[in-house]
Amino acid sequence: QLHLVESGGGLVQSGGFLRLSCEASGFTLDYYTLGWFRQAPGKEREGVSCISTIDTITYYADSVKGRFTISRDNAKNTVYLQMNNLNPGDTAVYYCAALGSAVDPQTMCVILTRDFGSWGQGTQVTVSS
């Protein structure tokens, strides 16, 4: 059974940083396109960053470009999201997702819904001003 578990969320002051991790079990991530999504109360889900399978092409939403970095360690079956210079607008529940297709990461981030792929349960990130 496919299973994704996020960790690393928490409360941080504006300007601070966090590193989210998402570990997979029940399958290997090597041939999955991976992504981080977030949803704040009253707002639509946003594809924050996605990364391709083998050639590690990345996509970032404009709102996080230059501050967040996505990476993957297939040996550890884990995908990471390094978040720097956080601001209150980054407050949300962050979810990781895995799609068993070699799709363009921008496509995954922009159109993927929870009806497709595998999703974690989410980790809360709260940024205080």
Side-chain angles (χ1 to χ4, degrees):
Q1 185 175 355
L2 310 181
H3 198 52
L4 295 170
V5 178
E6 302 96 337
S7 61
L11 174 64
V12 64
Q13 288 188 330
S14 185
F17 63 92
L18 287 172
R19 187 194 195 202
L20 304 184
S21 299
C22 175
E23 184 174 3
S25 60
F27 65 109
T28 57
L29 291 179
D30 296 41
Y31 299 103
Y32 282 74
T33 307
L34 306 172
W36 287 95
F37 297 75
R38 68 185 181 186
Q39 188 159 22
K43 293 188 177 181
E44 300 226 341
R45 178 184 52 85
E46 177 185 22
V48 174
S49 181
C50 293
I51 186 169
S52 64
T53 53
I54 298 175
D55 49 6
T56 60
I57 296 171
T58 57
Y59 164 82
Y60 296 94
D62 288 342
S63 57
V64 306
K65 203 171 291 183
R67 301 186 297 122
F68 290 12
T69 303
I70 189 171
S71 61
R72 61 191 296 162
D73 186 337
N74 290 344
K76 295 183 178 180
N77 229 25
T78 301
V79 59
Y80 304 96
L81 187 67
Q82 178 69 41
M83 307 186 296
N84 297 331
N85 194 21
L86 286 160
N87 61 64
D90 296 315
T91 296
V93 178
Y94 283 71
Y95 302 88
C96 68
L99 186 64
S101 300
V103 301
D104 173 72
Q106 180 173 356
T107 299
M108 177 174 175
C109 263
V110 172
I111 71 170
L112 187 69
T113 69
R114 293 187 69 99
D115 294 327
F116 299 94
S118 299
W119 292 76
Q121 292 301 305
T123 185
Q124 175 71 46
V125 171
T126 303
V127 185
S128 63
S129 56

